[in-house]
Amino acid sequence: MDAPERHPRIVVGVDGSDASIAALRTAGSLAGPLGATVEAWACWDVPPGYGLYLVVGIEGFEYAAKQSLEQALADAFGPELPAFVQPRLVRGKASEQLIEGSRNASLLIVGRRGHGSLVLGSVSSACVSHAHCPVLVVHAPEESTHGKRGSHARKSDDGQ
């Protein structure tokens, strides 16, 4: 007997950066052809050393993550969220939560926030190394000295 078909699930790490917005757009373009749902995960936690907030309340951290997620979704998809996109707030360290979320995902997409041209950020590096499904790392749109480049502007091989 064949195993039942799973509905493809794409998990996207969202932190509000240009790279994570690009990751959301990439997930959106893949979702249709794959018949997949997109789960947009915004991970949040109380920063280390903020014990006072545990007494006063941590709602501000969750609220900030929710606002960032909502803005990123609006930037990626416009005012109407597509039906295949499901926003999700997750408390915990982003790398750990996304790796755990990858256990039941068909694809994990994260933005690249690393410094320099060859270095991945810590979250994308951890996900590439430890995820339980394929990982796609999406770069932020390139910027020039005159602002953001259009989608058609590309550098040539000689850097011009």
Side-chain angles (χ1 to χ4, degrees):
M1 178 180 243
D2 292 335
E5 279 191 43
R6 274 185 26 188
H7 184 72
R9 180 174 160 251
I10 301 171
V11 173
V12 183
V14 180
D15 64 4
S17 67
D18 289 344
S20 72
I21 294 167
L24 280 169
R25 289 181 179 138
T26 300
S29 69
L30 293 172
L34 296 174
T37 58
V38 173
E39 291 185 16
W41 287 33
C43 300
W44 68 277
D45 208 353
V46 177
Y50 284 85
L52 177 61
Y53 286 106
L54 296 176
V55 175
V56 177
I58 60 173
E59 296 81 19
F61 296 109
E62 182 177 17
Y63 179 78
K66 182 179 181 201
Q67 293 298 107
S68 178
L69 177 60
E70 289 174 356
Q71 185 62 55
L73 289 167
D75 289 347
F77 300 112
E80 293 295 320
L81 192 62
F84 62 84
V85 177
Q86 302 169 352
R88 185 167 177 205
L89 286 174
V90 181
R91 183 171 178 191
K93 188 175 177 184
S95 57
E96 294 171 3
Q97 296 303 320
L98 291 170
I99 290 166
E100 185 59 31
S102 74
R103 285 187 186 277
N104 297 312
S106 303
L107 178 65
L108 173 61
I109 303 179
V110 293
R112 180 187 170 275
R113 295 270 311 260
H115 301 288
S117 61
L118 299 176
V119 180
L120 290 176
S122 60
V123 172
S124 55
S125 181
C127 290
V128 166
S129 298
H130 302 289
H132 303 277
C133 68
V135 179
L136 176 59
V137 179
V138 177
H139 294 256
E142 291 185 19
E143 292 184 26
S144 70
T145 57
H146 302 292
K148 291 188 179 178
R149 302 184 110 173
S151 61
H152 300 290
R154 299 281 185 244
K155 283 187 178 179
S156 65
D157 290 335
D158 64 354
Q160 300 284 321

